[in-house]
Amino acid sequence: MNSEDATIVYGHLIANDRYHLTVADDGTGSSHFGDLAVTRRTPDFTRETDAFVVYVRDLDSGVYWSAAMEPVRNDGDPYEFVAQPGMVSFIREHDGIRTTLEVMLVPDAPAEERRLTIENISGRERHLDVTTYVELVLNTPVADAAHPAFSKLFVQTEWDAERNALIARRRQRAPDDVPMWVVHTLRTVGADATVAYETDRMRFLGRGRTTARPQAMDVSAGGTLSGTTG
């Protein structure tokens, strides 16, 4: 690979006393609570990297893309990355839809917020849905990297219908293990939303697929979220 072919990705850090995010300008990154990894990132330029992904899908055509450059790349899309103190933004246009994804931390709390603004610049009515995807770790990065498949076995999920939230925890292997929990929730402004969910990685990605072409986003493959937890 020569210098003209190389892809340079710059990393950015957003942090408070207890929580920090590493975010790259292509949208990949990971979340950390102290010394623990909350989400997984395995940088590898030969494949799509694990990250927090926001997918946007046109329900009429079935076409989908990601709010950031990765993992659903399209080099012809207008794309801009903006870094400001305490916040990064990803601005992308695809098929007449402009999205702005802002990533920030909640002040003085071990929590993050990702705010997606959608603009229809196509001049016609559009029907869209938004899906988020992330791989949870809830473990030290070293332990997760050493045995990722084994580490995943201890993450358990449940759906809280009252709070419209997915809750995940790491099952304790010993009585003195520190309990670890994470909560993920969506809210909308100015629009009603029907929420579906899926925590089975195989059901979401599908056999032989990656985050660039997950089965759950593929209308031709019957892509849906099954409501599986466990």
Side-chain angles (χ1 to χ4, degrees):
M1 178 181 291
N2 60 39
S3 59
E4 293 181 351
D5 296 327
T7 299
I8 301 176
V9 178
Y10 297 95
H12 304 268
L13 178 67
I14 307 174
N16 60 29
D17 290 342
R18 293 182 288 171
Y19 199 92
H20 73 271
L21 302 173
T22 56
V23 185
D25 52 11
D26 62 0
T28 59
S30 55
S31 308
H32 301 263
F33 176 67
D35 296 331
L36 299 174
V38 178
T39 65
R40 180 176 290 109
R41 186 195 183 206
T42 51
D44 183 347
F45 292 120
T46 66
R47 56 183 288 273
E48 294 78 19
T49 55
D50 299 322
F52 191 112
V53 184
V54 177
Y55 295 99
V56 181
R57 179 170 58 177
D58 187 313
L59 296 176
D60 297 319
S61 67
V63 174
Y64 61 89
W65 60 98
S66 50
M69 181 187 298
E70 292 286 2
V72 188
R73 296 181 68 100
N74 186 333
D75 292 336
D77 285 354
Y79 180 79
E80 183 180 4
F81 173 81
V82 180
Q84 304 174 33
M87 182 177 74
V88 296
S89 302
F90 307 91
I91 305 167
R92 181 174 179 175
E93 292 182 21
H94 185 89
D95 191 27
I97 298 294
R98 179 188 293 124
T99 57
T100 301
L101 177 62
E102 299 168 307
V103 182
M104 66 204 82
L105 294 186
V106 177
D108 303 319
E112 61 190 86
E113 181 175 3
R114 297 174 186 250
R115 182 169 56 203
L116 181 69
T117 303
I118 302 175
E119 300 175 76
N120 180 4
I121 58 176
S122 66
R124 56 189 173 89
E125 184 175 293
R126 306 295 290 272
H127 303 92
L128 309 172
D129 68 9
V130 175
T131 303
T132 61
Y133 173 85
V134 70
E135 291 209 12
L136 295 175
V137 178
L138 302 181
N139 202 352
T140 64
V142 172
D144 181 64
H147 303 285
F150 180 74
S151 178
K152 292 176 185 179
L153 296 176
F154 291 89
V155 177
Q156 186 169 345
T157 60
E158 61 183 271
W159 173 249
D160 187 326
E162 181 180 352
R163 295 172 176 82
N164 223 24
L166 276 172
I167 301 174
R169 67 181 178 91
R170 172 159 287 277
R171 289 187 291 138
Q172 294 173 265
R173 299 176 60 188
D176 58 347
D177 283 351
V178 177
M180 289 178 281
W181 298 80
V182 64
V183 178
H184 177 56
T185 187
L186 297 173
R187 65 181 184 269
T188 60
V189 177
D192 295 327
T194 300
V195 178
Y197 55 90
E198 174 68 75
T199 66
D200 185 320
R201 184 177 184 272
M202 178 57 72
R203 286 175 183 262
F204 186 87
L205 293 181
R207 188 174 301 277
R209 291 172 175 249
T210 68
T211 52
R213 48 185 300 271
Q215 180 174 291
M217 292 289 96
D218 189 345
V219 175
S220 64
T224 58
L225 304 182
S226 71
T228 300
T229 58

